[in-house]
């Protein structure tokens, strides 16, 4: 019998399993292929074709497009159902108007996304409600105060009463409100003195946690968030799925002669890449890392650091590098740099089929039964 939400959140009810899902726009379709492989492996292990990822994972968290997937999973959706939802959203939402180019008005209309989320997750579903079957965290950024907000449903959190009353689809919409793409989400919240104030929320990817895995580890372990789960390589399992990594490079001459506005945009993108690399490095150091990735040329894959580190959790990270040499070497996929630059676009629904194909191939190679140790088996 599946665990109740209370059992999922109970800090003394056995080891805990966490699922982290990156932001990345339409490239979330790639993430879903990793989740399909995980779902299939777990169903085979437990001989249960009806097992849901919310039955296995005690906390599911996502940023931006990952928040849509995380909310759906936490509400009991199958991966196949999410694929259907996702393709519908991708086709309906990412329709650019001639008059909406992201300069003086957001590039896309957010109403269609809000309607799709309301229809699937329930317009009246609240973050602390019973429709959510396991722990859930949605990564947002409150832009009017400049502070990252990891909104979640643990009843022991300091602001559990206020946050638990927020509408789930409103919070998810806030997490997807990428600046210039969608307008900010205005949410009425309770201030510390109990009065009602309005906050302007945007995409959680504008915070350091577009990959929310490190934030989720902190959420689970730090006292202020209310979870206070026991740490250790046999007590916390952290599985992280990306949306594909793509980095544009430029010559010195190109950078020097770029318009100032473009230099600013490239610098912001570089900062987000730095945050991602920093998070990965911290996680590989702090955990028993089962999937060591090269961080940079100095620290390389940090295997020795992981082995001698605090090992607060067991950690596996799935992702692809949308780069010609890496794809050919790791997945036997051949693509030109120009083709990959097009595929990497986060707002083009025409890329969904190719992204899904890359994700399926990557999942075949990367998702292993050993990434779900027996210490974390369901009882």
């Amino acid at each position: 019998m599946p665990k109740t939400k209370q059992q999922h959140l109970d800090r003394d009810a056995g080891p805990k399993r966490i699922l982290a899902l990156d932001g990345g726009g339409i490239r979330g379709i790639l993430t879903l292929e990793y989740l399909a492989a995980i779902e299939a492996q777990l169903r085979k292990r437990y001989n249960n074709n009806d097992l849901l990822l919310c039955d296995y994972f005690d906390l599911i968290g996502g940023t931006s497009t990952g928040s849509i997937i995380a909310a759906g999973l936490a509400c009991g959706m199958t991966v196949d159902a999410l694929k259907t939802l996702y393709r519908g959203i991708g086709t309906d939402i990412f329709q650019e108007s001639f008059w909406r180019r992201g300069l003086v008005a957001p590039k896309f209309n957010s109403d269609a996304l809000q309607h799709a989320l309301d229809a699937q997750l329930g317009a009246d579903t609240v973050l602390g409600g019973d429709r959510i079957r396991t722990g859930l965290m949605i990564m947002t950024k409150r832009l009017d105060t400049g502070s990252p907000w990891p909104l979640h449903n643990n009843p022991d959190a300091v602001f559990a009463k206020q946050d638990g009353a927020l509408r789930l689809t409103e919070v998810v919409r806030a997490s997807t409100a990428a600046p210039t793409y969608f307008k900010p989400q205005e949410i009425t919240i309770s201030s510390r003195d109990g009065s009602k104030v309005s906050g302007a929320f945007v995409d959680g990817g504008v915070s350091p946690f577009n990959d929310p895995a490190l934030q989720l580890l902190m959420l689970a372990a730090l006292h202020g968030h209310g979870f206070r789960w026991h740490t250790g390589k046999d007590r916390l399992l952290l599985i992280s799925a990306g949306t594909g990594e793509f980095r544009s490079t430029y010559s010195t001459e190109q950078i020097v002669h770029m318009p100032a506005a473009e230099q600013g945009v490239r610098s912001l993108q570089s900062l987000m890449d730095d945050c991602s690399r920093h998070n990965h490095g911290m996680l590989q150091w702090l955990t028993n890392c089962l999937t060591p990735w090269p961080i940079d040329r100095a620290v390389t894959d940090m295997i020795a650091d992981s082995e001698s580190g605090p090992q607060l959790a067991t950690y596996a990270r799935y992702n692809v590098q949308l780069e010609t040499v890496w794809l050919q070497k790791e997945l036997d996929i051949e693509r030109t740099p120009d083709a990959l630059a097009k595929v990497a676009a986060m707002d083009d629904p025409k890329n969904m089929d190719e992204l899904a194909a890359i994700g399926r191939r990557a999942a075949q190679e990367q998702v292993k039964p050993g990434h779900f140790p027996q210490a974390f088996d369901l009882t």
Side-chain angles (χ1 to χ4, degrees), residues 222-233:
L222 299 181
H223 277 233
H225 293 298
F227 288 83
R228 298 192 290 277
W229 286 350
H230 305 290
T231 59
K233 68 177 184 179

Side-chain angles (χ1 to χ4, degrees), residues 170-227:
E170 196 172 53
V171 172
V172 172
R173 227 293 290 164
S175 183
T176 64
T180 76
Y181 285 86
F182 297 104
K183 67 180 181 181
Q185 178 72 26
E186 189 173 339
I187 300 179
T188 300
I189 53 180
S190 298
S191 66
R192 292 181 179 180
D193 63 6
S195 62
K196 298 292 184 180
V197 298
S198 182
F201 289 83
V202 296
D203 194 320
V206 182
S207 79
F209 304 112
N210 187 61
D211 168 2
L214 181 61
Q215 176 69 86
L216 283 161
L217 179 60
M218 295 165 62
L219 198 78
L222 299 181
H223 277 233
H225 293 298
F227 288 83

Side-chain angles (χ1 to χ4, degrees), residues 247-251 254:
R247 291 177 182 162
S248 299
T249 57
Y250 304 90
S251 68
Q254 286 176 308

